[in-house]
Amino acid sequence: MKPRRRAARLWRLWLLPAIALFLFSLFLRHHRTSSVLNDGARIAYFIQVSAANLPLLNRLLLTIYDPSNFYALHLDLKIDELKALESMRSAYHVLSSRWGVGSERNVPNLLIVRSEIVTYRGATMTMNYLTGANRLLAGGDWDYFINLSGADYPTASQKAIRRLLGKVGKGRNFVEWKPQNTWMGFAEKRFGEFYVDTGLAKLKSSTSEFVDLNGTEVSKQVEGVERTMNPLFRELDFTIAKSSGWFILSREFCEHLRDDSDARKLLALLAFSDASDEHYFASVLWNGGDRWRGSVVNSNMRTIFFVAPNGSFAMGEDGQRSRQHPFWVDEAGEDGVFLFGKHLKKSPGFFTRKVRGDGGFRDWMDREMMEKEYEERLEKRFDQAVMEADRVRRLHQGAAQASEHSDASEDATSI
């Protein structure tokens, strides 16, 4: 056989396996991608646990646990240390017994964030969320971050939640905007007036209040006391947005919060504002250009009640209408029927709050909320929210393109 013919034959012998290997790798890549989409999105949960809702933790963990998800817990520093240790041992035992994962001292996809002071209306609340997100970013590969309190409870199965979030792929952010015409009023009160979270300076205990002209903390309910104004409020050249304090954030956005200098600057700016968690995440998204504003779905997929079926409002300790603390969702009438039960089923979501844990309410939810009819309504609500977000994004893109075209035409005319 001539050398040239032999070389051509050897070349073909090497080429065919290489092509086969390349095609096989494409198949594996497609199969892996399809498997991820079929399995649904992977979720990272950050759960803030207080002394009041510590007894609810085991049931919550057991209900939302999935081996493909990741979980981070923050136990409030005010919780008795022995009670916290007992609770964690119990949680590990329950999960390892039910799911066969880890041991009674460790579950691989469940981590504990170092306990720190959290003032639930101050900047330490926002910082605690960011700590949880950063720990979860370092702990595993997931798609969406969901914040919970120990008093929350799921109104949908993990299978349904993972599947629905998997439908939209990666990179969406589920944040419930408040009406835009209210943002300035919120900003004037919550950022324009100096608000102090002493948890920024103390390690053991903290309070949070507005400050009067003498630098003394003063409750916002005190009438006739002039409060200190924040001078930076007059210097703003961007919008302070307002949303709910509950959200579903994409991994990409959590990485942006960790790495972006403007996001860190905004965090520092809101250090002395009231309820900064209801403004920080929303403001980074709103002022982040088309990439981040266009990623928002205007729903946090929660069902929370500030208005009762009879039209009455949730009231605060000061006797005024509460805008931060909703009704207990497990409230029952004299006949034992849950007052918000029918409304929960008609307003499907991923989670509800606030739950006290007695009276069989969680057992009732586990039965009622897993029905096929409920999940169909849930999917309809989810799809409508996503479609509306896509419609708004297309309108904004069209307006931006029209503006660019108009500017280009004016430039050409002036030339």
Side-chain angles (χ1 to χ4, degrees):
M1 185 180 294
K2 294 182 179 181
R4 182 176 298 175
R5 186 177 299 173
R6 185 184 298 112
R9 187 175 181 182
L10 289 172
W11 182 78
R12 285 196 297 271
L13 288 174
W14 280 102
L15 178 63
L16 290 176
I19 293 175
L21 182 62
F22 174 72
L23 293 175
F24 183 64
S25 68
L26 288 179
F27 168 77
L28 285 180
R29 184 181 302 173
H30 173 73
H31 178 70
R32 188 180 300 115
T33 302
S34 300
S35 297
V36 170
L37 292 176
N38 290 336
D39 291 340
R42 290 160 298 182
I43 301 170
Y45 285 104
F46 180 56
I47 308 171
Q48 290 177 325
V49 184
S50 68
N53 55 51
L54 182 64
L56 308 178
L57 178 60
N58 279 8
R59 178 71 175 265
L60 175 62
L61 278 175
L62 194 59
T63 309
I64 67 173
Y65 186 79
D66 186 298
S68 300
N69 291 338
F70 296 87
Y71 303 84
L73 304 180
H74 176 263
L75 303 179
D76 195 302
L77 193 60
K78 294 185 286 294
I79 297 175
D80 178 79
E81 189 173 349
L82 287 178
K83 288 184 178 180
L85 288 173
E86 290 173 4
S87 179
M88 289 318 306
R89 288 196 191 102
S90 176
Y92 289 143
H93 173 72
V94 167
L95 292 177
S96 60
S97 299
R98 178 69 64 89
W99 287 91
V101 294
S103 67
E104 293 188 7
R105 294 189 176 184
N106 179 51
V107 174
N109 59 339
L110 172 63
L111 60 90
I112 311 300
V113 175
R114 181 178 65 86
S115 293
E116 58 187 10
I117 282 293
V118 175
T119 310
Y120 289 92
R121 280 178 50 198
T124 49
M125 182 76 160
T126 302
M127 295 171 70
N128 191 238
Y129 283 146
L130 294 173
T131 297
N134 289 342
R135 286 293 307 276
L136 286 162
L137 284 171
D141 188 13
W142 44 266
D143 303 306
Y144 285 99
F145 171 92
I146 298 179
N147 66 327
L148 296 175
S149 83
D152 292 345
Y153 201 73
T155 50
S157 67
Q158 285 304 293
K159 182 179 179 181
I161 296 173
R162 284 165 49 84
R163 182 179 66 82
L164 291 176
L165 290 175
K167 284 176 62 175
V168 297
K170 301 178 180 180
R172 306 305 291 269
N173 293 283
F174 294 77
V175 175
E176 184 179 278
W177 304 116
K178 298 306 178 184
Q180 195 170 349
N181 61 1
T182 67
W183 290 3
M184 179 56 72
F186 277 110
E188 287 179 347
K189 285 292 183 184
R190 292 183 168 182
F191 175 68
E193 297 176 348
F194 213 79
Y195 189 84
V196 170
D197 179 352
T198 59
L200 295 172
K202 298 180 180 180
L203 298 178
K204 296 298 181 183
S205 64
S206 67
T207 59
S208 57
E209 291 292 355
F210 290 96
V211 175
D212 66 15
L213 296 181
N214 296 318
T216 304
E217 292 181 18
V218 54
S219 170
K220 70 174 183 177
Q221 280 82 36
V222 176
E223 298 294 336
V225 176
E226 189 175 355
R227 295 193 284 263
T228 301
M229 302 304 294
N230 188 335
L232 290 176
F233 180 69
R234 304 302 176 192
E235 302 295 328
L236 292 178
D237 63 357
F238 61 88
T239 300
I240 293 184
K242 171 70 172 71
S243 73
S244 162
W246 307 100
F247 36 73
I248 303 173
L249 304 178
S250 66
R251 182 186 182 92
E252 292 81 358
F253 183 63
C254 290
E255 291 172 339
H256 176 74
L257 293 174
R258 179 193 63 192
D259 300 333
D260 184 70
S261 60
D262 286 341
R264 290 196 297 272
K265 185 186 297 183
L266 183 57
L267 179 64
L269 180 72
L270 294 177
F272 295 98
S273 63
D274 180 16
S276 64
D277 59 306
E278 296 182 4
H279 299 278
Y280 173 69
F281 302 95
S283 297
V284 176
L285 286 165
W286 184 264
N287 295 282
D290 291 339
R291 178 189 179 188
W292 296 120
R293 192 185 302 186
S295 73
V296 172
V297 177
N298 187 14
S299 172
N300 57 19
M301 295 305 296
R302 317 288 174 111
T303 305
I304 305 172
F305 295 99
F306 289 90
V307 182
N310 63 5
S312 63
F313 297 111
M315 307 299 286
E317 295 179 356
D318 58 354
Q320 301 296 316
R321 178 180 175 182
S322 173
R323 298 182 185 275
Q324 291 185 311
H325 299 288
F327 282 103
W328 292 104
V329 74
D330 52 356
E331 195 76 46
E334 295 181 358
D335 55 0
V337 175
F338 296 115
L339 299 180
F340 296 97
K342 291 182 179 179
H343 297 271
L344 269 174
K345 296 187 74 172
K346 291 179 181 178
S347 304
F350 289 172
F351 293 89
T352 189
R353 64 187 323 268
K354 302 165 54 176
V355 179
R356 286 171 291 199
D358 52 5
F361 179 76
R362 291 177 296 178
D363 292 334
W364 178 84
M365 287 220 292
D366 287 349
R367 291 193 307 269
E368 298 290 327
M369 302 305 173
M370 305 306 168
E371 294 178 349
K372 182 179 179 181
E373 182 182 350
Y374 177 84
E375 292 201 349
E376 288 175 350
R377 289 200 298 271
L378 174 63
E379 183 163 10
K380 183 177 180 181
R381 176 192 173 187
F382 182 87
D383 290 345
Q384 287 176 340
V386 173
M387 286 190 293
E388 175 62 16
D390 291 341
R391 184 188 71 83
V392 171
R393 180 171 57 180
R394 287 193 296 270
L395 285 175
H396 286 187
Q397 289 174 342
Q401 290 172 357
S403 177
E404 290 177 2
H405 180 72
S406 176
D407 291 344
S409 299
E410 290 180 4
D411 291 342
T413 301
S414 62
I415 291 174

